[in-house]
Amino acid sequence: MHVTTDPSAPWLIVGLGNPGPEYAANRHNVGFMVADLLAERIGGRFKRAGKAQAQVVEGRIGPPGPGNRRVILAKPMSYMNVSGGPVTALRDFYKVPVANIVAIHDELDIDYGTLRLKLGGGDNGHNGLKSMTKVMGPDYHRVRFGIGRPPGRMQVADFVLKDFSAAERKELGYFVDRAADAVECLVIEGLERAQGTYNS
């Protein structure tokens, strides 16, 4: 599916996660981690967004000149399973086409650290995506960050709300960095180029 939008339209890049220090290092919060790194790269700090239940950073991604894109980085401050409300409020406030929305999220069905970028599709049981799709349909971009399946008989809910293991943390910085690169490539060069480079 190829969607073209007005090149001057802003992009809304949403890192999905749960607010609060107790969740900060959870597998389920890897979207927040990537959003934090992107904010650092554009030299911005997250601030509360008006009436929307979210923190945002506004800036530009890409080289100086016509090739760069206006972006709004967002972290919903609702809980994961009601992410759709804050995202919709931001979409309406900034007038962002749905095809210019990117959700960065953890993905159970992909090996740890593997990335998959796509446009549209199902939610695969992910509550953040389920909430977003319910309020605006499925036709937004996803940057899926693999966290693998729970070991043994551990419940999925327990697994995603646990911190990355010590072994995983050794490579986490590298994988988060790569995911941020993938988001930048998607916004600047388009989905096909980003998929060709980062879908491993």
Side-chain angles (χ1 to χ4, degrees):
M1 188 193 314
H2 184 69
V3 177
T4 52
T5 55
D6 173 0
S8 67
W11 285 74
L12 175 58
I13 300 167
V14 182
L16 291 177
N18 284 309
E22 67 271 36
Y23 298 107
N26 289 180
R27 293 182 178 92
H28 221 22
N29 270 42
V30 74
F32 275 17
M33 297 173 198
V34 177
D36 284 338
L37 178 57
L38 286 165
E40 203 177 295
R41 288 182 180 185
I42 65 174
R45 298 183 67 144
F46 278 100
K47 296 185 180 71
R48 194 70 188 226
K51 292 179 182 173
Q53 214 179 348
Q55 291 184 351
V56 297
V57 174
E58 294 180 58
R60 300 191 84 84
I61 284 178
N68 70 19
R69 299 282 179 267
R70 181 177 167 225
V71 297
I72 298 98
L73 303 174
K75 297 192 295 186
M77 290 288 114
S78 59
Y79 284 90
M80 179 72 88
N81 59 356
V82 286
S83 301
V87 175
T88 308
L90 293 171
R91 175 200 68 184
D92 294 348
F93 181 77
Y94 289 104
K95 300 180 170 50
V96 181
V98 172
N100 278 23
I101 296 174
V102 182
I104 310 164
H105 64 92
D106 56 308
E107 178 63 64
L108 287 159
D109 286 339
I110 305 175
D111 290 341
Y112 174 60
T114 300
L115 294 177
R116 292 271 191 283
L117 285 77
K118 69 174 190 170
L119 176 63
D123 57 55
N124 204 19
H126 192 286
N127 287 333
L129 297 182
K130 196 175 290 183
S131 177
M132 285 179 61
T133 297
K134 186 177 177 183
V135 292
M136 62 188 184
D139 297 329
Y140 52 91
H141 288 87
R142 296 99 189 277
V143 174
R144 304 156 73 204
F145 187 111
I147 60 169
R149 301 292 307 185
R153 296 186 174 182
M154 187 188 289
Q155 294 294 312
V156 164
D158 294 333
F159 179 69
V160 299
L161 293 175
K162 278 198 170 19
D163 291 358
F164 286 100
S165 69
E168 288 170 335
R169 283 198 296 274
K170 288 178 182 165
E171 295 180 293
L172 183 60
Y174 168 76
F175 290 139
V176 167
D177 196 64
R178 193 164 180 270
D181 290 346
V183 172
E184 291 181 345
C185 183
L186 167 63
V187 169
I188 298 162
E189 300 187 53
L191 179 62
E192 284 177 26
R193 175 65 65 87
Q195 286 175 323
T197 306
Y198 295 97
N199 277 16
S200 40

